[in-house]
Amino acid sequence: MNRGRAVFLVRLALLVGAVVVLEVLCRNGVIDSLAILPPSEMFDAMIERVGSGDLNEGMAQTFSTIGIAFVLALALGTLAGAVLHRVPRLRAVLDPLLASYYSVPTFIFYPLLVAIFALGKTPLVILGMMSATPAVVISTLSGLDGVPPVLLKLARSQRLGRLRTLCWIVLPQALPRLFSGFKLALSYALIGVIAGEFLLSGTGLGYAISFAYQSFDNRAMYGAMLFVLLIAVTANGLLYGWEARLSRRRSRQ
Amino acid sequence: MAGTTPLPARRRRRFDGVALLLVCLVLWQAVASWTNGIAVSPPLVALAYLADLMGQGSFWGHVGATFAAFLMAFVLSAVLGLLLGLVLGVWRFAGEVWEPILAGFYTIPKVTLYPVVLLIAGLGMSAKVAFGVMHGMVPITLLTLASIRNLSPTLLRTARVLRLPPSRIIAWILVPSCLPDITAGLRIGFSLSLLGVLIGEMFSSQRGLGFLLVSGMAQHNVPLTTAIVLLIVVLAIAANTLMLRYLKF
Amino acid sequence: MRGVVRHYAGPPLVHALGPIDLELARGAFFAVVGPSGCGKSTLMDVLCGLAKPTSGSVRFEGKELHGEVPDGIGVVFQEDSSLAWLSVRQNIAFGLRLSWLPKREVQDRVEHAIGFMGLSQFAGHYPAQLSGGMRQRVCIARTLVLRPRLILLDEPFGALDQQTRLLMGDELLRLWRETGATVLLITHALDEAAMLSDRVGVMSARPGRFIDVVETGWPRDRDSRVVSDPHFGELTARLWSSLRPESMKTLGRVA
């Protein structure tokens, strides 16, 4: 327990220290403040941009796109995972594809998607889905594989029907692995959508950053960037904490 | 393993593999026909264009630029990642301090940081390499760290019972038992440094495959974009499959 | 109720079992021992209706089983089958989720089973916090709340250490006496079979069939202390002498 606290405090000190050092170096002119803004000014810029409301439309766009991509990825991914689990032959065929899927940088399809669906929400949703769905498929498969046969026997010996076996045995048993897939899916959808906006689009938070960069408005750029990163860290942190709570009950000795 | 599989099963698997490839090609063709080739070129057109490209010297310049940046990014990621992972794995306290920070960095959209890289490193090779390293190094570090930390204490005790000198412990125990995880890390690092380099080229660069991809779209040169996508997909999958097959321990 | 189980199982594709004839009187404690891989677990699956016999039939209380576990049979598996996401109390109540019993009755049965298996202090714990023996108790309690008239146990103590096993055996005897249920215990441990049961069936190497049935002759009111009785040694010796050639066959086949 004590060690855990020490680790936490050192980590905190490290992060705070890094920010302070950066601030000092920027203020002293060691780092060109045209290239990197002092952290305090980044923070001011973020408050300013969020407060002024000029990010509101971008936020609405980005969050709704990520949300749609995430939900679709969950639905499609769990469905595909369940189907593959039931059809071993199909699974054997698709396994190599799943294993090397993430070695292909998904973003290279984005120009094609834009060409097919025109600039807008659709190609971004699809890019987000393409990044997130396989993670859900993989975790669904591993979750279903992880249900011990004895529990299925138990279900039969208690005369549970299919639906009840699914809801009372299979889903709760597979939940931790499913959840870690969902967590990955959210961060992949987020990365995919924001990167898509950043590379090529006319709306969204990612676009706000690249637009500010192209128009040499560093203050605006850093403000938006800090905002996006804080959102991403918070979202991932929440899911991480939730996952830890979920698995603690099962592994505490 | 292939040697022990009975023949009919092997034949069936090969059949299934070919069927999968055909399905992919048919889907591709269908998308191309559906968009009348305005958005995506059909497979044959893309292949022909790719063959044509390979005859041009300027194309190889782009390939070389991407390859050089990628190679440098990957080697740097591997060296730095292995070293950092080793230090953090052996020095447990530091490992516990750094692991969540690195894991957090792994899940944020790093694209948003690319302008900062550009502002520091300037346009060109070094920005691409730096961005590739930002993507590739973290997974290598994390997996190396985990594999060293999870080293079975029984193995180390056995080594001490056998009174092995430290150099032998490293060569006979540490390296072989950590190798599977480390190669998995290298494989992910390989893919992600390629991704980093390509995104860098797509966003702002005058050279490289990523640049060709975006410029193909800007000039409405659909066969070019399709051909480059095809090339990258095939290369990435081939590299990954080779690594999966031959780097197994 | 004619508390009789009878069964006769023919060979599946891999000839795993039988032919076997077995009749259990109501309230009996029967143990099955056999060399590893002789089809003990297959026997169990067939007996409780999880698997259908290739030929022959299994009857419970006069009704034939059709690939379904009937009401009145409770099963305890060899592997840990506690549900990790439920507390001990919820795990035990799990068996009654499907029943239409009034809430009070469910609560009473669950509390009784918790008390009976000595789990009162751990009712709010999760399986991960318990030892293997405790977890197996949870699984037994989960079967107990169903008030089964026949309890099938497939090497329930296989994963436990010797001392825990002896004590769990006592628990099982107490359970058997107090519930009046018929018990069929499958085990590979000769001492366990000799100490606990009224009758022991010795199975042959695959395809498994009974080569010997031994009456132990213990009084109903017994516990693990019978191990100090000279008769226990004789019993174990007799079991081993019938089993030894079969075990050697299995060993030879594996090697």
Side-chain angles (χ1 to χ4, degrees), chain A:
Chain A
M1 198 59 225
N2 244 336
R3 185 185 162 88
R5 269 188 89 151
V7 165
F8 178 76
L9 288 177
V10 170
R11 190 184 302 143
L12 196 69
L14 231 109
L15 291 174
V16 172
V19 173
V20 170
V21 167
L22 188 63
E23 179 85 29
V24 169
L25 290 181
C26 289
R27 295 273 172 208
N28 284 347
V30 179
I31 292 178
D32 184 2
S33 61
L34 280 178
I36 296 187
L37 245 53
S40 59
E41 272 188 49
M42 285 187 206
F43 193 74
D44 280 349
M46 179 183 83
I47 300 287
E48 212 173 88
R49 285 209 74 175
V50 175
S52 74
D54 71 345
L55 282 181
N56 285 356
E57 205 199 319
M59 275 200 265
Q61 274 295 331
T62 303
F63 293 150
S64 62
T65 311
I66 294 172
I68 296 171
F70 178 61
V71 170
L72 285 176
L74 289 200
L76 253 159
T78 16
L79 191 71
V83 169
L84 286 189
H85 187 75
R86 302 225 72 172
V87 190
R89 184 161 174 187
L90 192 61
R91 183 178 178 179
V93 177
L94 292 181
D95 244 355
L97 207 64
L98 277 177
S100 46
Y101 186 88
Y102 281 111
S103 69
V104 177
T106 327
F107 303 100
I108 60 169
F109 292 104
Y110 186 58
L112 293 180
L113 292 174
V114 171
I116 298 175
F117 299 104
L119 217 52
K121 213 183 187 77
T122 321
L124 286 171
V125 167
I126 294 183
L127 183 67
M129 274 173 65
M130 283 175 74
S131 314
T133 312
V136 182
V137 176
I138 292 168
S139 70
T140 305
L141 280 172
S142 97
L144 291 178
D145 288 344
V147 178
V150 67
L151 292 191
L152 298 179
K153 265 192 184 180
L154 171 73
R156 283 188 58 202
S157 80
Q158 306 251 2
R159 292 182 297 284
L160 302 183
R162 262 185 193 198
L163 191 67
R164 289 208 168 96
T165 306
L166 185 70
C167 297
W168 290 357
I169 304 262
V170 176
L171 283 184
Q173 175 70 28
L175 194 64
R177 291 193 192 171
L178 288 181
F179 193 85
S180 69
F182 295 173
K183 190 188 71 174
L184 273 184
L186 183 67
S187 71
Y188 288 172
L190 192 131
I191 292 175
V193 168
I194 289 181
E197 290 176 345
F198 181 86
L199 289 173
L200 189 70
S201 89
T203 49
L205 293 174
Y207 171 72
I209 298 171
S210 69
F211 180 77
Y213 168 75
Q214 314 276 15
S215 46
F216 305 105
D217 187 353
N218 279 8
R219 201 176 146 77
M221 184 190 85
Y222 277 109
M225 185 186 301
L226 187 61
F227 181 64
V228 170
L229 293 181
L230 281 182
I231 295 274
V233 168
T234 313
N236 288 323
L238 280 178
L239 286 182
Y240 183 84
W242 201 3
E243 185 189 28
R245 222 174 41 197
L246 198 75
S247 63
R248 194 174 310 143
R249 175 191 292 178
R250 299 199 188 189
S251 58
R252 192 172 42 201
Q253 280 299 326

